Amino acid sequence: MLPKKYLPIVTPLLMSILMVFVMTAIITGYNSGIDGDFIARWAGAYRVA
């Protein structure tokens, strides 16, 4: 278990990582479609974000 003194730092960090993960997937899929090269484009967008 994580000590309580780290929760104010770790929780927003994890939430932002999850939000970027989901939003880059949605936006990449919407803008360029989901095909065979989707994962590579999504990974590129995730790295930039």
Side-chain angles (χ1 to χ4, degrees), residues 11-48:
T11 302
L13 179 66
L14 290 176
M15 290 297 292
S16 64
I17 290 170
L18 180 63
M19 184 73 125
V20 168
F21 186 79
V22 170
M23 290 307 295
T24 54
I26 291 170
I27 293 169
T28 302
Y30 180 78
N31 285 336
S32 60
I34 298 175
D35 56 6
D37 199 33
F38 171 74
I39 299 295
R41 287 191 315 272
W42 180 24
Y46 185 75
R47 279 192 300 269
V48 170

